[in-house]
Amino acid sequence: MTTDSLQELGEQIRLLARVPSLLVACDYDGTIAPVTSDPMTASPRRDAVDAMRRLAELSDTHVSVISGRSLRDLATLSRLPHEIRLVGSHGSEFDVGFSSDLPSDLATLRQRLTEEAREIGSRFGALVEEKPTGVTFHLRQLDDTTHQLAREALVRGPAGWDGVYTRNGHQIVEMSVLETNKGWALDSIREQVGASAVIFMGDDVTDEDAFRSLRSTDISVKVGDGTTAAAFRVRDPGNVAQILALLADLRGEWLQGTGLVPLTSHAMLSDQRTAAIVSPTARVTWLCVPRIDSSAVFAELVGGPAAGYFSVAPASGEPPIRQQYQDDSLVLETEFPTITVTDYLDVSAGRSTRIAGRTDLLRVIEGKGDVAIEFAPRVDFGRVTTRLDIRDGGVIVQGTADQLVLRAPGVRWTITTDGPHETAIGHASLDDREGAPLVLELRTGTATLRDDGVAEHERRTQTASHWTDWAAQLQLPTIESDIRNRVVRSALALKGLAHGPTGAIAASATTSLPTHIGGVRNFDQRYCWLRTAAMSAEALVRLGSAREAHDFLGWVERVLETRSDPERLAPLYNVTGRHLPPEAQLGGLEGYGGSSPIRIGNAADGQVQLDVFGSIISLISRLVDADNPLDDRLWRLTEQMALAVSRRWDEPDHGIWEQRIGPRHNTYSKIMCWFALDRAIDISRTHRSHEPAAWVSLRDDIAERVVTGAWNKRLGAFTATLGGDELDAAVLNIGLTGLVPVDDPRFL
């Protein structure tokens, strides 16, 4: 290869290392194992095996060897780890014992072919290797004259028989009773693992089928000389080992997120109207105002520094020592060697339940020495030019729909330009403050920079108490202290996502965080899914807090007040109970760890998800079982959900996983429709002293439909859809809900 070609291959490998799901595949002989005079002594290079093992151990990375050898010989010779998928007989042999499954006529033809090839091999002193579908006739040990005579004998004989598929290589003749194609095998594996891109390396003529099957996003590498459809060429298996090692290094670094702060290391602040995300270095990387589902002013978490951030740190640049919440609250402390930064969203004076009014993010800095501040808001995810105006006592953000100011008395500011946006760089000395803290107050909903008259310490105390008082009333099981802390922190996270003014419960504080690094399933989760909100509220009821459940069900009631058809409930709404704007992708934002696209809005808003009725009745059932009275309001909602089930349960829907394909008869949705009626019947029987006969009859009809329609005898499992053959973990609810007994052999 030329230097330019090597550089281009290196660049392509760097890009390939960052795809969501990668398939690495190659031939065996001449690719990872040097060619030998005796084919049964060909061992793979140790460095190639090491690199392949490292690749196979990475998440969303699949490794396969597709060889002309029989699968049994390939496994015996290569001794590759079990994580690497082996495919033999040029892509036709995926399972050991394949040859025993040949139809009788093909098995007879294979036997004739083998006998004739062995006779010719014996005549010319050539090695004949038996394969599950035919033979490989090796010519490499013959002199030129004998080589030519043996090849001619094969052409006149078995290589020309009807039903025998022949491939001619430089040193071999492959004859098979089945048409084999490595490209077909590669396509099959790609589909099975869901690979976003493929790299295939091979030296054989039969590898050309694989090269021709590749797409523009894939990489093809020919090993050695010869005409090829591959885009790149390398000299020998040593080069292949180098490519595999480079790919393992690059993909490992990318998946581990070199320089990327793990999502689990971030902290969340909340005032139950919006939420902020803070990095371990006291950097605000996410904030939407005035609501959790509004546009972001800081979006570095998904867009990098250009998308907006708010940092506070010692001017010396010293890293933080630790970060922790104060007690059982959402007041966060980040401790540096010389300063401590305390962050919180103010919930004092009942702010958490106000629809209108100010939203205040307070950043309190205490300690000694100089402090460096960077205030880089980006209006509407940076889609609107951000201009800043320095005033006495702080900074005003210009041109925003919701007024936004930073009150920061005692800070010296300069403005820098970053493309269309401006950033305020601040400096302050704590040594000049005679022990008084430096308070930065980001205010939304007001243009004033004046002191509001309430001491910061009092606001912090009230905010901390809002959370600690709530956590103190939780009814926790007797558990170890570290587990108790995890349970409480999880409960606080759910509480922080509960929208105080309306009762909605958001699924997340953020948009477009990936299910895996580099993935494209990056959706906007800042809305209220009926299913997820009901599950969150039910978890809090189990911990002894029922208010969130009552508030959420009140929100559902208000959504239903505007319509007479409860069966038309959407799967999700914004926190005010309204439909979402159309889903859109934001260009120019790189995504967390390079995981794009970045989305706002959610197309699931227009889907049909029939399981939500069961989730709501499940929450009502949990409430009344926890000794909350079944008032007329809850009973009316129960009736509405049962009515919704009766009208729509037999329709196809999009299901719990919100697949963006056409509606199907999803088993989980049917289970939850059954569950809705089963719990409604139990509520009616226990608290209303009657049992609606129509509900009982319909419940039993649904159960019969699920059990007969979802059971797949061949697979020995209940399937994702009625009459289907896909598996789905959510279908475990068929036993967990009681639709079938947990000791039913089919459930087990």
Side-chain angles (χ1 to χ4, degrees), residues 67 275 441 462:
S67 171
E441 187 175 343
Q462 289 187 37

Side-chain angles (χ1 to χ4, degrees), residues 460-474:
R460 192 195 318 181
T461 299
Q462 289 187 37
T463 296
S465 295
H466 173 84
W467 302 108
T468 57
D469 291 350
W470 178 82
Q473 53 86 43
L474 296 178

Side-chain angles (χ1 to χ4, degrees), residues 239-449:
N239 298 138
V240 173
Q242 292 172 336
I243 291 173
L244 291 168
L246 174 63
L247 185 56
D249 289 342
L250 292 173
R251 187 157 179 84
E253 290 176 3
W254 180 69
L255 287 171
Q256 293 166 13
T258 301
L260 189 66
V261 180
L263 291 174
T264 51
S265 297
H266 289 76
M268 183 182 81
L269 312 179
S270 170
D271 64 357
Q272 295 199 255
R273 294 183 297 178
T274 189
I277 303 298
V278 184
S279 79
T281 58
R283 193 176 175 102
V284 179
T285 61
W286 181 264
L287 177 65
C288 296
V289 289
R291 296 196 318 252
I292 197 169
D293 54 14
S294 300
S295 294
V297 292
F298 304 127
E300 182 182 53
L301 185 65
V302 297
Y309 61 93
F310 185 5
S311 69
V312 175
S316 62
E318 296 170 298
I321 299 170
R322 68 178 61 88
Q323 186 179 70
Q324 61 186 11
Y325 289 105
Q326 288 183 357
D327 303 318
D328 292 334
S329 77
L330 294 184
V331 177
L332 182 71
E333 290 183 350
T334 308
E335 184 180 346
F336 294 85
T338 56
I339 68 170
T340 298
V341 182
T342 302
D343 290 317
Y344 61 95
L345 281 163
D346 186 8
V347 295
S348 66
R351 291 186 184 210
S352 63
T353 57
R354 295 180 193 166
I355 293 179
R358 272 174 34 192
T359 295
D360 292 352
L361 170 65
L362 282 91
R363 316 203 70 187
V364 184
I365 308 160
E366 299 172 282
K368 60 183 180 179
D370 293 338
V371 177
I373 304 162
E374 294 183 26
F375 178 58
R378 298 293 180 256
V379 178
D380 192 18
F381 295 94
R383 293 186 293 178
V384 175
T385 298
T386 304
R387 291 284 181 258
L388 305 178
D389 187 11
I390 299 175
R391 300 284 182 85
D392 184 23
V395 180
I396 293 179
V397 183
Q398 306 248 351
T400 58
D402 296 285
Q403 294 174 321
L404 186 66
V405 301
L406 175 62
R407 185 174 188 272
V411 178
R412 304 181 303 278
W413 295 102
T414 58
I415 299 295
T416 63
T417 301
D418 180 13
H421 307 296
E422 293 181 340
T423 298
I425 307 297
H427 297 276
S429 174
L430 296 178
D431 297 337
D432 297 338
R433 304 184 63 83
E434 299 180 351
L438 174 64
V439 180
L440 309 178
E441 187 175 343
L442 180 60
R443 299 171 172 176
T444 303
T446 180
T448 181
L449 291 171

Side-chain angles (χ1 to χ4, degrees), residues 25-33 64-69 182 200-204 206-207:
C26 63
D27 188 14
Y28 182 73
D29 293 280
T31 301
I32 60 171
S64 180
V65 175
I66 306 175
S67 171
R69 290 181 178 270
K182 289 186 178 181
F200 183 82
M201 296 176 284
D203 74 305
D204 201 340
T206 60
D207 296 321

Side-chain angles (χ1 to χ4, degrees), residues 27 60 122 139 157-158 202 239 281-282 331 374 390 428 475 493 512-513 598 611 680 682 721 743:
D27 188 14
D60 301 301
S122 176
L139 301 164
N239 298 138
T281 58
V331 177
E374 294 183 26
I390 299 175
Q475 298 170 12
S512 302
L513 295 183
I598 306 303
D611 64 287
D682 183 67
T721 58
D743 58 356

